[in-house]
Amino acid sequence: MTDALRYLTERDVVSVLGIHRAIDALHAMLVAQGKDQARNLPKALATWGDGSSMHALGSVQTDGGGYAGFKTWVHTKAGGGSLFSLFDAGTGILRAIIEARALGMLRTAAISGVATRALAPEDATQAALIGTGPQAVTQLAALAAVRKLRRVRVYSPTPEKRRAFVASVAGKYAFDVEESASLEHALAGAQIVTLITRAVEPFVDAAMLADCRHLNAVGAILPSKAEFAQDVFDRADQVVVDDLENARRGSRELRERYGADGTPWQGVSVLSDLLASGQARPEGARLTIFKGMGMGLSDLAMAREVYEHARDHGLGVALPAQTRENLLLAQP
């Protein structure tokens, strides 16, 4: 059953993929991208109603033994769902259909981990996590995986939610995880700040980030939303994105700073190019900014890792192998 089409559930995904493995898999994929051995398809996006949206991300790994894939998802106030379709890039055969909620949470955290490992000061020990929604758990894990922290302060505007979050992670890490009653308290002294919110308007400005040396802004991924104010760019010595085209289309912060008319963005780097060339944090930098929008290659890196482990260990539901012959027979 090695070549069987596999249906992999959320349980299968989390049984295979821990945060360290996710970060390393994504790092390798980004290096491949920087060497022109992998590429993204720009995000397709539609919105409707009161904040509902549908998305599609594609990607392909073009070196030997590569894969191609699409993640598709819908978000509404009533809920949502997501799937990843993994294809063999050499034969075009569908290899796996993967439930992608956990996959998406892990790749969003992993890209923050990769960026923090590359850009944040190596001696940073104080961090702030702003936002306590479902993705905050893996974002905290990513910070812990790449830096030896002493304290992380956590803030979100609803006291019950942030207290519940802090209680849920109590004792899981060697460092202190503290609830902050205000945004200002959470940010004071934080050398690394991660924003993972659904904010509509900017709520963090340069004065609040006086102590920050690296900022992960990974929550606002629609052109109508923003997490940080424009004056934050004035303090930054390096601005890095996961995908330039997705940022052009969807990042309100960067569109307002660098233009939304299609002109080239000067001074914005792509994470994969930095990793492939061995570059890291600029010497003497005051602040680095990483804006993560989500991209197909992040999902593909996770999907490949999960699928190959599932294939080799017999995980998931094995369906009849998809071949050109049975596809032809299935046609009317």
Side-chain angles (χ1 to χ4, degrees):
M1 298 294 288
T2 299
D3 294 326
L5 168 64
R6 293 186 179 273
Y7 186 91
L8 302 173
T9 66
E10 303 287 2
R11 185 186 296 271
D12 294 322
V13 172
V14 298
S15 73
V16 172
L17 209 53
I19 191 63
H20 287 88
R21 188 170 184 176
I23 289 171
D24 289 343
L26 182 51
H27 182 105
M29 183 67 78
L30 291 174
V31 170
Q33 181 190 15
K35 295 179 178 179
D36 293 324
Q37 298 171 347
R39 63 177 181 267
N40 290 298
L41 276 68
K43 179 187 289 186
L45 166 68
T47 60
W48 68 93
D50 187 15
S52 295
S53 58
M54 62 186 298
H55 312 248
L57 285 173
S59 54
V60 59
Q61 186 178 8
T62 55
D63 59 340
Y67 297 90
F70 296 92
K71 179 183 171 185
T72 53
W73 75 102
V74 173
H75 172 78
T76 73
K77 287 189 174 180
S82 58
L83 288 172
F84 192 94
S85 303
L86 182 70
F87 295 82
D88 186 305
T91 64
I93 298 298
L94 180 64
R95 293 302 186 194
I97 299 170
I98 307 172
E99 294 179 0
R101 184 172 182 271
L103 199 79
M105 293 172 65
L106 282 161
R107 63 90 150 147
T108 303
I111 198 75
S112 295
V114 173
T116 301
R117 187 165 64 183
L119 300 172
E122 292 187 9
D123 60 353
T125 61
Q126 311 290 323
L129 178 62
I130 311 304
T132 55
Q135 295 204 41
V137 173
T138 48
Q139 289 289 332
L140 180 60
L143 290 174
V146 298
R147 285 295 179 268
K148 294 181 179 179
L149 300 173
R150 292 204 314 242
R151 182 184 68 200
V152 177
R153 286 178 173 166
V154 177
Y155 175 78
S156 64
T158 306
E160 295 79 8
K161 290 184 178 180
R162 66 175 182 257
R163 288 169 191 160
F165 176 83
V166 171
S168 72
V169 299
K172 292 184 178 180
Y173 297 101
F175 51 83
D176 295 328
V177 181
E178 302 176 359
E179 176 197 357
S180 286
S182 69
L183 177 62
E184 291 77 9
H185 179 266
L187 296 176
Q191 299 157 298
I192 302 171
V193 175
T194 296
L195 309 177
I196 183 71
T197 75
R198 293 191 180 278
V200 175
E201 295 298 329
F203 63 92
V204 173
D205 61 25
M208 294 178 178
L209 296 174
D211 299 315
C212 183
R213 298 297 175 260
H214 175 70
L215 173 66
N216 295 310
V218 291
I221 60 171
L222 296 174
S224 61
K225 298 183 178 183
E227 294 181 306
F228 63 90
Q230 289 295 297
D231 64 354
V232 175
F233 287 110
D234 297 333
R235 289 196 60 241
D237 296 288
Q238 188 174 43
V239 178
V240 181
V241 298
D242 55 350
D243 184 82
L244 192 57
E245 185 59 31
N246 287 341
R248 287 183 185 278
R249 294 183 180 203
S251 172
R252 176 176 159 189
E253 294 107 337
L254 271 72
R255 286 162 62 90
E256 290 180 358
R257 179 71 173 189
Y258 297 102
D261 59 359
T263 57
W265 284 1
Q266 301 297 324
V268 179
S269 303
V270 179
L271 183 58
S272 60
D273 293 338
L274 298 181
L275 296 176
S277 62
Q279 297 182 56
R281 180 182 178 85
E283 186 175 354
R286 294 172 299 173
L287 175 67
T288 53
I289 298 173
F290 174 68
K291 179 62 185 179
M293 295 298 299
M295 61 177 183
L297 281 172
S298 296
D299 293 293
L300 185 63
M302 305 297 102
R304 173 176 183 163
E305 198 77 8
V306 171
Y307 166 68
E308 291 187 345
H309 182 95
R311 177 198 63 197
D312 296 342
H313 295 83
L315 298 181
V317 178
L319 304 174
Q322 183 193 26
T323 65
R324 299 186 188 279
E325 289 75 14
N326 63 34
L327 283 175
L328 289 171
L329 290 173
Q331 293 181 3

